[in-house]
Amino acid sequence: QVQLQESGPGLVKPSQTLSLTCTVSGGSVNSGPFYWSWIRQHPGKGLEWIGHISYSGSTFYNWPLRGRVAISIDTSKNHFSLELSSVTAADTAVYYCATNAYGFFDRWGQGTLVTVSS
Amino acid sequence: EKVVTQSPATLSVSPGERATLSCRVSQGVSNNLAWYQQKPGQAPRLLIYGASTRATGIPARFSGSGSGTEFSLTISSLQSEDFAVYYCQQYANWPLWTFGQGTKVEIK
């Protein structure tokens, strides 16, 4: 079955770009019907859907983050990635990757904490 | 945007008792609602989708009900491993999925 694992820097400086990768095992990123999603959770807070990329490469992003976020897919490495530009302390959060085939998130990575600080 | 509101924020329950959590959506979502459980330091885990269908491997003591704008998650007899934070999520408004703010179930 599909398993997900996030990776990337745990510390990013303000105004820089946060970059994370989600490696997929037990399945292929270019097979349907999945939407490969990113979700974040601010410390002690609830869950915020960031956006997704479909197996065919189409993307959709949550309104508050549009203009700063980009999700891409690399079929040769079987992973998908998140880039969030111009970060501030408000972007400090645990970032999760997850699969979504029918609207709900059925598989999750373990999450990775990203702290924005100089 | 469909706003999702959960209540109460915290629920204190004794082991073996029944717990009922509520989730309200600002506009009707039919049965397009999911529930998740999150324990400290862990990722959320899917419990219920389609408002009432248990995900694979979820014990029968977890049940979901509701339709439209009002939903509930019931844990029939709380076990020690059930003390956690529970989130609901609507997925009717594709793809602007939204989560509730969570209900923490704590030991009374």
Side-chain angles (χ1 to χ4, degrees):
Chain A
Q1 64 181 17
V2 171
Q3 293 186 308
L4 309 172
Q5 177 69 60
E6 305 89 349
S7 60
L11 181 64
V12 181
K13 289 182 167 48
S15 80
Q16 294 190 340
T17 297
L18 177 161
S19 297
L20 296 174
T21 294
C22 182
T23 300
V24 178
S25 58
S28 172
V29 293
N30 60 4
S31 67
F34 292 134
Y35 292 99
W36 306 98
S37 300
W38 288 96
I39 294 162
R40 69 181 182 179
Q41 186 170 36
H42 295 101
K45 302 296 185 183
L47 300 162
E48 178 185 25
W49 174 71
I50 297 171
H52 71 231
I53 188 165
S54 74
Y55 67 96
S56 60
S58 60
T59 55
F60 201 95
Y61 307 122
N62 202 354
W63 290 105
L65 296 172
R66 285 191 179 190
R68 292 203 297 135
V69 64
I71 298 174
S72 60
I73 201 164
D74 187 332
T75 56
S76 66
K77 296 180 180 178
N78 211 38
H79 72 207
F80 62 106
S81 300
L82 169 72
E83 289 197 337
L84 183 65
S85 62
S86 305
V87 296
T88 69
D91 295 308
T92 293
V94 175
Y95 286 77
Y96 296 100
C97 56
T99 61
N100 183 324
Y102 307 106
F104 48 88
F105 301 95
D106 51 350
R107 305 227 188 282
W108 298 66
Q110 66 185 30
T112 187
L113 173 64
V114 179
T115 301
V116 178
S117 175
S118 56
Chain B
E1 177 183 312
K2 290 179 171 34
V3 178
V4 181
T5 304
Q6 292 184 243
S7 61
T10 303
L11 187 61
S12 298
V13 186
S14 300
E17 289 188 340
R18 180 188 194 93
T20 300
L21 290 64
S22 295
C23 178
R24 174 176 292 179
V25 188
S26 59
Q27 302 169 54
V29 296
S30 184
N31 67 338
N32 295 304
L33 190 108
W35 290 93
Y36 303 85
Q37 176 194 67
Q38 187 178 35
K39 297 179 181 179
Q42 296 184 16
R45 176 176 70 147
L46 177 67
L47 295 177
I48 301 282
Y49 61 92
S52 61
T53 302
R54 281 189 301 276
T56 303
I58 301 303
R61 63 180 181 272
F62 291 92
S63 63
S65 64
S67 182
T69 61
E70 301 281 346
F71 301 86
S72 61
L73 174 70
T74 299
I75 311 170
S76 59
S77 176
L78 271 158
Q79 307 298 303
S80 57
E81 62 266 29
D82 301 334
F83 292 97
V85 179
Y86 293 83
Y87 294 95
C88 58
Q89 175 232 337
Q90 68 80 20
Y91 53 95
N93 192 20
W94 189 97
L96 297 177
W97 301 300
T98 47
F99 294 89
Q101 77 277 23
T103 290
K104 181 180 181 180
V105 177
E106 64 175 25
I107 300 175
K108 186 175 182 180

